[in-house]
């Protein structure tokens, strides 16, 4: 199990283990943001419900447009007018229903009304400035599919057909453990020599919160087999997935893999990915387990590329792959690597298009490289980059939202 697995192969194998979807709950529409729809939603009404005006202006019959027309009614939004008599016009406002008989609306800027009679300048075409009934949604139409992660505009769309509640999947409970004897929790005093603050816990907490998942915080786990066994066992008993950081490398202080094997199965270890090679995946009893590396940048990158799609699938989400962009490299990579490299870069708009500037220190221990970047530039194994080459780009906003 020590060969490096290509990222795409590893991801496909890991995704195959995303088990049954969580239970379904119903929440008020306002609480639906970021949740995953548990059933497709069909509109039961037409939106808009009536042909209506797209402008403030005058509704008329096409054939009457060249005459001076008495204005016989006034139709604000929310009011339904009466049928339009031949040779007359109706004053109408945006969103108001088109009176029967009218087949165009002329915007008020092209009309002049004097003493209750309107004349029109310019051409008028059939259906002009009329928003037809059902142009947004038709009754019976599936408006949002099961598995959709609800965005603000989706809440608006659901409201537009009168939904007050939505059926969504219960948020996943993800247990997070930080392994490492050197770790100190921020707030627990100064560091002694050799100690470091636990940053991974906070990165993970933020990443999980952005996915609207619940983090079960299992704290810091000491680097010994007994503590690791106990912590993994307890975490798995109450969570939908267990995520650890650190302790999955090859040293004698790395106990996570061995204890996962005691408690369940280790299915995969070591990816051809940089940063983040020692990622492990398996299960503890029935609970899926993801062992992220310890280095803070590796945690971020492997979470975004591997853990995130797995968790989303486990949550029941049908997310499209994050969009891939292209940018010109403002850097070079001289030596081809054996792993797929995810360089931390900043994208800038230039007259020649997007340009990717590399963060100077790409060490997996340098978390600033993530904080001060807005994208990852993907350099496949065996390839080099010459300044000016096109490189594939993944936006951090679409990976860690
Ligand atoms: P490990 O895989 O446990 O050997 O950890 C690799 C590197 O990541 C070491 O330098 C650790 O000190 C560091 N590291 C591990 N866990 C954390 C953490 N929770 N926060 C910050 N750094 C960590
Ligand atoms: Mg460690």
């Amino acid at each position: 199990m020590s060969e490096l697995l290509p990222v795409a192969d590893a991801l496909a194998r890991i995704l195959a283990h995303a088990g049954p979807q969580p239970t379904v709950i119903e929440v008020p529409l306002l609480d639906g943001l970021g949740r995953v729809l548990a059933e497709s939603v069909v509109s039961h009404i037409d939106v808009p419900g009536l042909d209506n005006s797209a402008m403030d202006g005058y509704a008329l019959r096409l054939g009457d447009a060249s005459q001076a027309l008495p204005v016989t009614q006034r139709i604000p939004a929310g009011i339904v007018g009466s049928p339009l008599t031949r040779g007359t016009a109706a004053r109408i406002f945006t969103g108001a229903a088109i009176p029967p008989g009218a087949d165009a609306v002329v915007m008020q800027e092209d009309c002049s009304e004097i003493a209750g009679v309107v004349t029109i300048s310019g051409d008028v075409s059939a259906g002009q400035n009329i928003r037809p009934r059902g142009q947004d949604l038709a009754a019976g139409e599936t408006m949002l599919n099961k598995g959709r992660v609800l965005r603000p505009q989706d809440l608006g769309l659901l409201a537009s057909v009168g939904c007050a509640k939505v059926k969504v999947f219960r948020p996943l409970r993800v247990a997070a453990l930080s392994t490492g004897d050197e770790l100190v929790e921020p707030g627990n005093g100064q560091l002694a020599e050799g100690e470091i603050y636990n940053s991974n816990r906070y990165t993970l907490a933020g990443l999980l919160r952005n996915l609207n998942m619940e983090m079960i915080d299992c704290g810091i786990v000491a680097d010994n087999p007994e503590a690791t066994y106990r912590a993994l066992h307890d975490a798995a008993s109450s969570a939908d997935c267990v995520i650890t950081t650190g302790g999955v490398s090859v040293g004698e202080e790395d106990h996570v893999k061995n204890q996962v094997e005691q408690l369940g199965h280790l299915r995969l270890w070591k990816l051809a990915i940089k940063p983040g090679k020692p990622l492990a995946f398996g299960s503890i009893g029935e609970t899926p387990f993801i062992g992220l590396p310890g280095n803070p940048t590796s945690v971020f990158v492997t979470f975004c590329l591997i853990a995130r799609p797995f968790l989303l699938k486990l949550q029941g989400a049908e997310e499209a792959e994050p969009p891939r962009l292209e940018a010109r490299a403002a850097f070079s990579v001289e030596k081809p690597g054996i792993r797929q490299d995810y360089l931390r870069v900043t994208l800038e708009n230039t007259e020649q298009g997007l340009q990717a500037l590399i963060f100077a220190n790409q060490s997996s221990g340098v978390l600033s490289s993530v904080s001060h970047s807005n994208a990852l530039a993907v350099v496949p194994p065996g390839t080099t980059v010459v300044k000016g080459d096109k490189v594939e780009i993944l936006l951090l906003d679409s990976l860690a939202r």
Side-chain angles (χ1 to χ4, degrees), residues 178-180 182-183 196-201 220 223 245-249 253-254 278 292-296 299 365:
S178 316
T179 73
E182 72 280 33
L183 301 178
I196 59 169
Y197 288 118
N198 180 3
S199 63
N200 289 342
R201 174 179 175 230
I220 294 171
D223 286 323
T245 64
V248 283
S249 211
E253 297 293 337
D254 297 321
L292 301 180
N295 276 308
V299 167

Side-chain angles (χ1 to χ4, degrees), residues 261-302:
E261 280 178 320
Q262 300 295 312
L263 288 157
H265 298 283
L266 188 70
R267 299 191 198 281
L268 171 158
W269 180 46
K270 280 194 183 170
L271 269 54
I273 188 171
K274 187 179 174 189
K277 178 172 77 174
L279 182 132
F281 177 81
S283 55
I284 302 170
E286 295 296 302
T287 310
F289 153 81
I290 304 173
L292 301 180
N295 276 308
T297 299
S298 308
V299 167
F300 182 88
V301 169
T302 53

Side-chain angles (χ1 to χ4, degrees), residues 192-273:
E193 221 169 348
E195 292 179 335
I196 59 169
Y197 288 118
N198 180 3
S199 63
N200 289 342
R201 174 179 175 230
Y202 297 83
T203 307
L204 264 186
L207 289 164
L208 290 170
R209 189 180 300 177
N210 277 359
L211 290 174
N212 287 290
M213 293 171 186
E214 199 186 305
M215 174 165 126
I216 303 174
D217 191 348
C218 300
I220 294 171
V221 182
D223 286 323
N224 67 66
E226 298 74 27
T228 308
Y229 182 96
R230 177 84 356 239
L232 290 173
H233 172 272
D234 292 351
S237 67
S238 58
D240 299 303
C241 183
V242 174
I243 297 188
T244 58
T245 64
V248 283
S249 211
V250 289
E252 309 93 80
E253 297 293 337
D254 297 321
H255 300 286
V256 174
K257 282 192 317 320
N258 285 345
Q259 298 315 312
V260 168
E261 280 178 320
Q262 300 295 312
L263 288 157
H265 298 283
L266 188 70
R267 299 191 198 281
L268 171 158
W269 180 46
K270 280 194 183 170
L271 269 54
I273 188 171

Side-chain angles (χ1 to χ4, degrees), residues 55-58 91 105-111 128-129:
M55 291 283 176
D56 292 338
Y58 294 83
R91 178 76 170 117
V105 170
V106 181
M107 62 178 183
Q108 63 189 36
E109 292 84 340
D110 293 338
C111 301
Q128 167 179 311
N129 295 323

